[in-house]
Amino acid sequence: MVDEAYLKAQIRTVSDWPEPGIQFRDVTTLFENPKAWRSVMDSLIHRYMDVEFDRIGALDARGFLMGSVLSYAMSKPLILFRKKGKLPYNTVAQDYELEYGKATLEVHADTIKKGDKVILVDDLIATGGTLLAAGQLVRQLGGQILEAAAIINLPDLGGSKTLNEAGIPVFSLCEFEGD
Ligand code: AMP
């Protein structure tokens, strides 16, 4: 498992972006560091290597980068949860609230089969609204969520608690206190 202090040191914090009061945890610095990026993805691959699951659900947009590597390395189908209006075929949609604003998440209606076990991935859990919306879409289509995995958890924003209460186990590689 990647060392938490090492991982946190690879993530840039940008204060007051995109709005005053937000501490934005910028993972582009992690993506620019091949050694750190490899240890993040290796940690996730190791975690799910011996787990039986059917699909990886990746969240728009930084979750796509993680989902893509996992899907390739583990030979598992990749599902894209996209922001409204991007998917071309029949979709199901779920509105949700963000730390800063509101949004709608969509997924193709035929992408999850009844009983499919799904692992969700995103870069960061703040309020948990995005992953919860993805979880609701998985359930609406008859699938079940094995776990929601993120690089970063911000526990003080309550997202991991909200997800746990909704029956979605959470896994993260590091945590930042406060917001
Ligand atoms: P939430 O739905 O509140 O858990 O927000 C999670 C989504 O918003 C993730 O896709 C993150 O990329 C993004 N996000 C929310 N808050 C932050 C933050 N403080 N720093 C970086 N990304 C964030």
Side-chain angles (χ1 to χ4, degrees):
M1 196 64 62
V2 59
D3 179 75
E4 183 171 1
Y6 166 76
L7 174 58
K8 286 173 75 169
Q10 314 312 314
I11 297 164
R12 173 165 54 199
T13 297
V14 183
S15 296
D16 299 320
W17 197 90
E19 284 182 10
I22 304 286
Q23 296 273 85
F24 194 85
R25 308 297 176 175
D26 175 19
V27 286
T28 63
T29 46
L30 171 66
F31 296 147
E32 284 178 53
N33 178 337
K35 196 172 156 196
W37 179 223
R38 177 179 281 269
S39 25
V40 162
M41 290 317 305
D42 282 348
S43 299
L44 293 177
I45 291 163
H46 279 213
R47 182 166 179 85
Y48 298 119
M49 238 173 174
D50 301 320
V51 176
E52 262 186 52
F53 68 98
D54 301 295
R55 277 152 211 277
I56 294 156
L59 272 68
D60 202 342
R62 290 174 289 268
F64 289 173
L65 304 172
M66 301 160 67
S68 173
V69 176
L70 269 186
S71 157
Y72 178 81
M74 308 190 81
S75 299
K76 292 289 184 185
L78 178 64
I79 306 171
L80 302 185
F81 290 87
R82 297 213 64 182
K83 286 165 192 154
K84 194 180 169 70
K86 299 286 186 185
L87 289 170
Y89 191 58
N90 298 336
T91 56
V92 285
Q94 180 70 50
D95 295 332
Y96 64 104
E97 304 230 343
L98 281 167
E99 191 182 356
Y100 35 83
K102 281 192 176 184
T104 304
L105 203 62
E106 292 182 337
V107 71
H108 276 144
D110 62 351
T111 201
I112 294 168
K113 311 277 173 272
K114 261 207 165 59
D116 272 353
K117 293 180 186 144
V118 180
I119 292 170
L120 296 172
V121 289
D122 201 1
D123 65 324
L124 181 143
I125 301 167
T127 65
T130 317
L131 279 163
L132 187 62
Q136 285 164 332
L137 292 172
V138 169
R139 285 175 176 160
Q140 191 181 329
L141 295 172
Q144 51 173 295
I145 308 113
L146 283 194
E147 190 159 80
I151 299 171
I152 305 162
N153 183 24
L154 306 180
D156 297 339
L157 289 174
S160 39
K161 186 164 174 275
T162 302
L163 289 165
N164 283 327
E165 283 168 3
I168 301 175
V170 167
F171 174 73
S172 66
L173 292 168
C174 71
E175 292 192 344
F176 285 91
E177 281 181 18
D179 53 5

